[in-house]
Amino acid sequence: MAKLTADTDLCQGYGNCLTTAADVYDIDDDGKVVLLIETIPDADRARVEAAARSCPVKALGVVDG
Amino acid sequence: MSTVVIVGASVGGVRTAQALRAQGHDGRIVLVGAEPHVPYDKPPLSKQFLAGAWEHDRLALLTEEEAAADRIELRLGVAATGLDAAARSVELADGTTLGYDTLVIATGATARPSPWAAESGVHVLRTLADGTGLRDALAEPGPLVVVGGGFIGAEVAATAHAAGRVVTVVDPLPSPIARVLGDEVGRLVGDVHRRHGVETRFGTGVRAVSGHVGALEVTLTDGTVLPAGTVVVGIGAVPAVEWLADSGLELDNGLVCDEFCHATGHPEIFGVGDVARWFHAGHGEHVRVEHWTNAVEQAACVAHNVVHPEEPVLYRPTEYAWSDQYDWKIQIAGRPNRATGFELAGDPTTDPPRFGALYRDEAGRLSAAVTVNWPKLLVAARRLITAGTPYEEGLSVLDKLIAPVSAA
């Protein structure tokens, strides 16, 4: 399992994460990222890491859980 | 062991290298960069970096530790100078050559140079070195004249204004952002500078720039002379393909690529990012896009197509760009300047405004969206655009987001 992190202070609402992994990330009315789940199975890790790397302000992380 | 050489160490090249590893490429990955710096990110150069809020270490796209962990070999500070496609070999500025099995060309674009000469004090903004020079210049007193009202020019103007500088933006077009947004929405967004107290001279070109740093004069085509301490010229970028001039690759406003991002006739060569002009199967034409998200998405697609050549994926993204100017977050999905009509949502007159425009194309689909300070609407619309949603159906979905705001 891997643990997801999201820094809402850094988040600027660019929304690229939702394009890659809409099952994991959402966005609230203020334009801030919301984690729909907090841990992911290892099988999903590469895809969610790609979504995290698509964040222009590095607000997202995937760490060993 | 299969070797992938990636030329260009900005976001497209870096993300390609990372995605290759993530996709399971087990051979060598060599990342070549002309600049001496560790790979860095460009969007903050006109914003947080220029404002002095971020230092260069915060711009890093790939640290040396991260490169080592992913077995990405960095060849920094050495430009590629030529390509022998028959021999599958890249020539480098230090006289060495690099052989490859797969080549990824991600050399980006360079700032269009200022056509106006002055002794000193005239800047462009594309690289970290440019950004550092401009930041130093903005620490000095004196008015700033920004030539070019596109995204870079507008962001520099906003940053300099926030730092207390007197700023004037000059552009020969009456509404520069209308190039991207279309005329009507362009006018709504185009007064962003005036609403924030920055002077504009739109519809007027520049005839000459003379003098030296701290004592420049910008002469406009209507005869006006604007005094300036510093001048920034943001008039676009040109794809960096000079090093490929003798390669035999097809070059025409960028490296011409097919729908899978292969360079024409070369299944072992790919293009990524600002330099690539590829066949977009959704649009039915070649396009070249100079935006961050495109480089990232194209990198992921190319990495897949390198690792899985037997099942290549078409690259047909929904265009997406953003620009942060003053307290306005402008986000654009799709191609609004190709639309046949639009509807407005929200309120452009509030301070700060929160509004959007939803565009339709001639096939009756929701084809583009522009929002100001409304990320949730943009994200939802972008998803519907990608799905090819009919316009009225898209509007009815988005109405659930729009209605509470309109009623307020």
Short mmCIF file of all heavy atoms in Angstrom, two decimals, chain B residues 168 210 255 262 271 300 330 352 386 404:
data_model
loop_
_atom_site.label_atom_id
_atom_site.label_comp_id
_atom_site.label_asym_id
_atom_site.label_seq_id
_atom_site.Cartn_x
_atom_site.Cartn_y
_atom_site.Cartn_z
N THR B 168 3.99 49.69 -17.92
CA THR B 168 3.16 49.88 -19.11
C THR B 168 3.33 48.65 -20.01
O THR B 168 4.45 48.19 -20.22
CB THR B 168 3.58 51.13 -19.90
OG1 THR B 168 3.52 52.27 -19.04
CG2 THR B 168 2.66 51.35 -21.10
N SER B 210 15.87 52.53 -27.44
CA SER B 210 17.23 53.07 -27.43
C SER B 210 17.64 53.40 -26.01
O SER B 210 16.82 53.45 -25.09
CB SER B 210 17.32 54.31 -28.32
OG SER B 210 16.44 55.30 -27.82
N LEU B 255 9.44 20.15 -35.15
CA LEU B 255 9.72 18.80 -35.64
C LEU B 255 8.39 18.15 -36.00
O LEU B 255 7.52 17.98 -35.13
CB LEU B 255 10.42 17.98 -34.54
CG LEU B 255 10.64 16.50 -34.84
CD1 LEU B 255 11.67 16.31 -35.95
CD2 LEU B 255 11.08 15.76 -33.57
N HIS B 262 5.89 10.02 -33.50
CA HIS B 262 7.12 9.66 -34.20
C HIS B 262 7.49 10.78 -35.15
O HIS B 262 6.62 11.28 -35.87
CB HIS B 262 6.94 8.41 -35.08
CG HIS B 262 6.47 7.20 -34.38
ND1 HIS B 262 5.26 6.60 -34.66
CD2 HIS B 262 7.07 6.44 -33.44
CE1 HIS B 262 5.12 5.52 -33.89
NE2 HIS B 262 6.20 5.41 -33.14
N GLY B 271 9.03 13.17 -30.81
CA GLY B 271 9.05 14.58 -30.40
C GLY B 271 8.15 14.78 -29.19
O GLY B 271 7.08 14.17 -29.09
N ALA B 300 4.20 11.44 -21.26
CA ALA B 300 3.62 10.17 -20.81
C ALA B 300 3.24 9.30 -21.99
O ALA B 300 3.47 8.08 -21.99
CB ALA B 300 2.40 10.44 -19.92
N ILE B 330 -6.54 32.52 -14.70
CA ILE B 330 -7.18 32.29 -15.99
C ILE B 330 -6.83 30.87 -16.44
O ILE B 330 -5.65 30.49 -16.47
CB ILE B 330 -6.68 33.31 -17.04
CG1 ILE B 330 -6.95 34.74 -16.55
CG2 ILE B 330 -7.33 33.06 -18.40
CD1 ILE B 330 -6.22 35.80 -17.35
N PRO B 352 -12.66 40.18 -6.78
CA PRO B 352 -12.25 39.67 -8.08
C PRO B 352 -13.40 38.95 -8.77
O PRO B 352 -14.31 38.47 -8.10
CB PRO B 352 -11.14 38.67 -7.72
CG PRO B 352 -11.46 38.23 -6.33
CD PRO B 352 -12.12 39.39 -5.66
N THR B 386 -13.15 16.55 -23.33
CA THR B 386 -12.37 15.36 -23.71
C THR B 386 -13.30 14.22 -24.11
O THR B 386 -12.97 13.44 -25.01
CB THR B 386 -11.47 14.94 -22.53
OG1 THR B 386 -10.61 16.03 -22.20
CG2 THR B 386 -10.64 13.72 -22.89
N PRO B 404 -25.76 27.85 -8.56
CA PRO B 404 -25.69 28.51 -7.26
C PRO B 404 -24.94 29.84 -7.32
O PRO B 404 -25.28 30.78 -6.61
CB PRO B 404 -24.93 27.51 -6.38
CG PRO B 404 -25.06 26.20 -7.09
CD PRO B 404 -25.15 26.53 -8.54
#
